[in-house]
């Protein structure tokens, strides 16, 4: 019995530590140059109301992450697919030099990881 209590306390401690480690904060700074999983470059800049992510192809600049804001203890944004303008909701999690995007469109979801350059 003492052994199971000890294991339960240790498991709770690890869970708490992992939640603290990966907790999102309103002070997170997404600014910088990011390499997408497709090898494209996105520049995320701070705006008056949050952040915006833009990419450039030739001399044309377009928004790929819009309205990046901290709301209800999480970072959210609209991700825009440049080839057809499709918009999907996403949550962002900053983890060192990785940006984890969890994209949701209707019943579908996709995990994407970008790397800071």
């Amino acid at each position: 019995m003492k052994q199971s209590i000890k294991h339960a306390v240790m498991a709770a401690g690890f869970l708490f530590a992992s939640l603290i480690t990966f907790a999102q904060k309103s002070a997170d700074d997404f600014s910088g140059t990011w390499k997408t999983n497709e090898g494209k470059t996105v520049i995320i800049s701070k705006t008056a109301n949050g952040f915006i992510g833009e990419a450039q192809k030739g001399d044309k600049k377009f928004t790929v992450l819009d309205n990046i804001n901290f709301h209800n203890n999480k970072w959210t944004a609209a991700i825009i697919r440049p080839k057809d303008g499709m918009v999907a909701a996403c949550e962002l999690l900053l983890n060192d030099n990785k940006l984890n995007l969890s994209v949701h469109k209707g019943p579908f979801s996709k995990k994407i990881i970008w790397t800071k350059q």
Side-chain angles (χ1 to χ4, degrees):
M1 174 106 167
K2 286 184 181 181
Q3 193 70 4
S4 355
I5 293 173
K6 181 179 177 182
H7 288 293
V9 169
M10 286 177 57
F14 285 125
L15 176 63
F16 181 72
S18 67
L19 288 173
I20 289 173
T21 302
F22 295 108
Q24 297 185 51
K25 303 173 287 305
S26 62
D28 287 340
D29 187 1
F30 298 101
S31 298
T33 303
W34 297 87
K35 184 71 73 177
T36 71
N37 53 326
E38 297 168 336
K40 309 283 188 209
T41 300
V42 174
I43 297 173
I44 298 180
S45 307
K46 184 128 177 75
T47 66
N49 299 321
F51 295 89
I52 190 168
E54 297 176 308
Q56 190 160 345
K57 186 172 184 176
D59 53 348
K60 184 179 178 185
K61 187 185 274 190
F62 46 92
T63 300
V64 292
L65 277 177
D66 196 20
N67 201 26
I68 305 170
N69 287 299
F70 192 73
H71 183 68
N72 291 335
N73 294 320
K74 61 185 173 183
W75 284 98
T76 60
I79 189 166
I80 304 157
R81 187 166 57 193
K83 68 178 180 180
D84 60 9
M86 186 191 80
V87 178
C90 73
E91 293 179 24
L92 298 87
L93 178 63
L94 189 59
N95 187 7
D96 294 325
N97 70 332
K98 302 286 184 193
L99 181 58
N100 299 298
L101 296 98
S102 183
V103 182
H104 309 281
K105 180 76 173 178
F108 304 103
S109 65
K110 180 178 182 178
K111 304 283 185 196
I112 300 171
I113 298 174
W114 293 357
T115 305
K116 193 161 195 177
Q117 300 298 292

